Amino acid sequence: MAGLDPDDWRGLRALGHRMLDDMFDRLEHVGDGPVWRPMPGQDRDALRTGLPRRPAPPEEIYARFTALIAPYATGNTHPRFMGWVHGAGTGVGMLAEMLAAGLNANCGGRDHAPIEVEREVIRWAAEMVGLPTTTSGLLVTGSSMANLIAIVTASRARPDGVALRHTGVGARPLVGYAARTAHGCIARAFDICGLGTDSLRLIDTDDAHRMCPQALARAIAADRQAGREPFIVVATAGTVDVGAVDDLETIGAIARDAGLWFHVDGAFGALARLAPRHRAYLDGIEQADSLAFDFHKWAQVPYDAGCVLIRDAGAHAAAFAQTLAYLQREDRGLAGNAPWFCDLGPDLSRGFRALKVWMTLSAYGADRLGEMVDACCAVAAHLAARVEREPDLERLAPVTLNIVCFRVRASDAFNAELVKDLQEAGIAAPSTTTINGRCAIRAAIVNHRTTNADVDALVDAALERARSRS
Ligand SMILES: *Cc1c(COP(=O)(O)O)cnc(C)c1O
């Protein structure tokens, strides 16, 4: 029995060309259909075939993809998808995914060009936010993983910190700080790395939803007084609920003066550093000891592509590197080219995520991406202004970047049901959050395809439903 390649490549090649054409058709007309459609039970059932034991023709499998999978995707490529914080992708990114899969490179390490591409992408990322180009880093699944890696590195960059790799954190009273509005993955990182979520102090925020610097300073002092060991301050550049940006200069200065690691979670907000009209909100990001952000959100690289940057390359390697006989580094040959990316995070085998980032940044350029970020913020400003003009609507939070939280002047239950109705009707896909105890309709404009007309359609549909209710 031979390998898995076809005897005759012509059939698969023709199918590949058809897939490419179909996907370009889909992207070209992505705004025509509903944003999202719920997957019917019979189609869910149809996917439950049990393990296939015998070969099937790729054409048949593709027909199943077309019928059962493609129609029921998340919808984040659609211009009226505004829920959560989702990037929309690009045609260039899609092609890059295909090329990367064709090379099928393992970017855990070794001496090959894909490693050099990832190193270059990390240098570009550092340049984007004003960190030195000697900054270490790697591409990961997303900001959840990037934040985890930064927090682990920070905990091991303490005096005797590297010893924790052998002894475990045990009774070491390490504590860290983030605003109440920090993303849930920060607490999760404290949980996963054994520090425990109680060791993450959640600092109060001001009226603008930003971390209160005085409260941070007081919390650090109180922990020191009590004999605990503060080690990290996590600021957020672009909070997930309202898009607020912590005062990075002030928070960074407090961290530095207290001898603490200054980490920034800039999952989507970091991209605003490229945006001429919004970059000033991120002043101070260049002071960070580490930064987590996503290329798959505002940079429009297809999922998944997160990035962690760590200013002190030595501290990064000291936190993760291992020496193992079966991963011996050599001075030449395929096992050369140390350090390897597997020394900088938990993954050994790693895909070639860097290619889609490299191709996206190459195709559009940082300036064009920055203009796109400004354009998203302008759409958000248009939505906020419209909300303020409509007597039946109420804005619930200030709009700094690209997130608008508002509500119909009706009960929380009405607003929550309204969002589900809009999603199920395929008209628009905002999400919800809670602002000052009230249910908010939340529109996050992270999508380069979303226009003023799209957010107006959201408002029109919301108002129509509100009126037909009364
Ligand atoms: C999305 C987000 C995260 C988590 O990033 P993933 O890529 O989904 O893992 C963390 N922090 C903030 C502020 C986010 O918006």
Side-chain angles (χ1 to χ4, degrees), residues 254-306:
I254 291 173
R256 202 167 37 254
D257 292 348
L260 308 191
W261 184 282
F262 176 45
H263 172 68
V264 176
D265 175 6
F268 65 93
L271 258 287
R273 198 57 171 162
L274 298 178
R277 293 207 295 279
H278 293 85
R279 67 185 316 278
Y281 287 110
L282 285 98
D283 284 351
I285 197 170
E286 70 288 349
Q287 304 289 326
D289 292 304
S290 55
L291 169 70
F293 77 100
D294 283 316
F295 282 109
H296 60 214
K297 289 180 174 169
W298 232 346
Q300 314 296 337
V301 172
Y303 285 89
D304 49 24

Side-chain angles (χ1 to χ4, degrees), residues 342-417:
C342 66
D343 288 331
L344 303 177
D347 294 318
L348 173 56
S349 294
R350 309 171 61 252
F352 190 10
R353 285 192 187 96
L355 188 66
K356 59 192 172 183
V357 179
W358 184 80
M359 284 188 69
T360 302
L361 285 171
S362 300
Y364 297 101
D367 294 347
R368 175 79 187 79
L369 292 178
E371 287 159 18
M372 178 268 301
V373 165
D374 270 341
C376 288
C377 295
V379 171
H382 173 87
L383 172 57
R386 172 89 198 270
V387 164
E388 271 155 39
R389 279 200 310 276
E390 296 291 348
D392 292 339
L393 302 179
E394 179 186 6
R395 183 168 58 75
L396 290 180
V399 177
T400 307
L401 298 173
N402 58 333
I403 301 182
V404 183
C405 290
F406 67 101
R407 70 201 299 268
V408 173
R409 293 186 197 274
S411 68
D412 282 351
F414 177 83
N415 280 279
E417 292 304 311

Side-chain angles (χ1 to χ4, degrees), residues 322-345:
Q322 289 179 308
T323 50
L324 298 165
Y326 53 85
L327 289 177
Q328 184 66 45
R329 302 339 184 233
E330 302 294 351
D331 57 346
R332 59 190 185 82
L334 190 49
N337 201 24
W340 292 0
F341 283 107
C342 66
D343 288 331
L344 303 177

Side-chain angles (χ1 to χ4, degrees), residues 26-35 75-83 88 379 426-429 444-455 457-458:
R26 183 184 166 99
L27 285 181
E28 197 176 334
H29 304 289
V30 66
D32 294 355
V35 180
N76 52 308
T77 55
H78 194 290
R80 289 197 302 280
F81 188 99
M82 307 157 196
V379 171
I427 294 171
I445 315 303
V446 195
N447 186 328
H448 62 93
R449 301 188 180 106
T450 304
T451 62
N452 289 351
D454 294 311
V455 294
L458 164 69

